Amino acid sequence: NAGVTQTPKFQVLKTGQSMTLQCAQDMNHNSMYWYRQDPGMGLRLIYYSASEGTTDKGEVPNGYNVSRLNKREFSLRLESAAPSQTSVYFCASSAVRQVEAFFGQGTRLTVV
Amino acid sequence: AQSVTQPDIHITVSEGASLELRCNYSYGATPYLFWYVQSPGQGLQLLLKYFSGDTLVQGIKGFEAEFKRSQSSFNLRKPSVHWSDAAEYFCAVGGDTGGFKTIFGAGTRLFVKA
């Protein structure tokens, strides 16, 4: 019953450092997503992967890169972290597009 | 362009009272509509969804929502709120237009007082 698993749960970075957020799902879903959540702004889509081997930009892709490693795993990379990237990041997956998404528990990232 | 508006940033209701959370959307085609709930420190959990058919949909935890096309609304209701319902609620809209960009509202935080 793991669903969508994100690691790490918390992270503090210094400006300019890089890191990768990991996400894995065990529901055999085709589509995976990365969102960021900021107060008063809901969730904004960073990148998504419609299926294994494809990735596309969402609403706020600047400063991020993604890799769909296989059907289960979808990672988000910050190459040079900035304070504006302080946020809570959620990974999600769905069987097909636009239907019910299942969310991980989130990664709280602080960039100082 | 797609958009979702949740007019109330926060709402406070007494335990046992009824609840209605508002959601208005803008979408150029037949929308898929969702309500998610987020408890503190948790991810989002789907409460209910509307794709087509009966405009009154039932969800988990005693919630329901009504799709009103003429008003571009999808309001969430519950007849009697429990203290455990205190959380943040997100309305979202998507659709089978070839895109993947489900749009989320900014959320409404629900406080429940004893």
Side-chain angles (χ1 to χ4, degrees):
Chain A
N1 287 341
V4 179
T5 303
Q6 291 182 235
T7 55
K9 288 187 169 48
F10 301 94
Q11 183 71 50
V12 179
L13 291 178
K14 295 181 179 180
T15 298
Q17 286 185 317
S18 63
M19 79 162 294
T20 300
L21 281 64
Q22 306 287 351
C23 175
Q25 52 92 8
D26 62 2
M27 296 172 283
N28 201 37
H29 284 168
N30 289 313
S31 302
M32 298 186 72
Y33 315 85
W34 277 105
Y35 290 91
R36 60 178 289 172
Q37 183 181 29
D38 301 291
M41 303 190 75
L43 277 76
R44 292 181 292 169
L45 184 64
I46 305 171
Y47 271 92
Y48 63 92
S49 171
S51 60
E52 185 178 357
T54 69
T55 61
D56 282 287
K57 295 178 180 179
E59 184 183 355
V60 288
N62 291 345
Y64 305 95
N65 286 298
V66 290
S67 296
R68 183 75 182 266
L69 304 170
N70 47 55
K71 192 171 187 178
R72 291 186 64 249
E73 298 172 288
F74 188 40
S75 63
L76 178 72
R77 183 161 179 83
L78 287 70
E79 292 290 353
S80 179
S84 61
Q85 294 177 305
T86 293
S87 187
V88 181
Y89 291 85
F90 286 99
C91 178
S93 70
S94 64
V96 295
R97 63 187 184 189
Q98 302 283 31
V99 297
E100 176 183 0
F102 292 81
F103 284 81
Q105 292 203 318
T107 297
R108 186 173 293 276
L109 175 67
T110 302
V111 183
V112 298
Chain B
Q2 292 173 263
S3 67
V4 177
T5 301
Q6 294 181 245
D8 304 304
I9 296 173
H10 54 79
I11 283 182
T12 301
V13 299
S14 297
E15 191 169 17
S18 63
L19 171 70
E20 183 169 31
L21 302 182
R22 296 182 290 163
C23 173
N24 293 98
Y25 68 89
S26 173
Y27 195 75
T30 300
Y32 295 170
L33 295 159
F34 309 87
W35 275 100
Y36 287 87
V37 60
Q38 184 182 31
S39 299
Q42 301 296 314
L44 278 71
Q45 179 185 21
L46 183 72
L47 282 176
L48 47 79
K49 61 191 176 191
Y50 171 81
F51 287 173
S52 65
D54 193 345
T55 57
L56 183 65
V57 293
Q58 303 296 321
I60 62 171
K61 305 186 181 187
F63 286 91
E64 67 177 26
E66 186 171 12
F67 170 57
K68 293 186 177 180
R69 184 186 300 275
S70 62
Q71 298 178 19
S72 297
S73 69
F74 189 56
N75 293 348
L76 182 71
R77 300 194 294 248
K78 187 171 185 178
S80 177
V81 168
H82 187 263
W83 64 266
S84 60
D85 293 324
E88 189 152 22
Y89 292 80
F90 293 93
C91 181
V93 64
D96 192 16
T97 61
F100 281 75
K101 300 177 184 178
T102 299
I103 303 297
F104 286 80
T108 298
R109 182 165 294 279
L110 173 65
F111 298 95
V112 180
K113 59 182 180 180

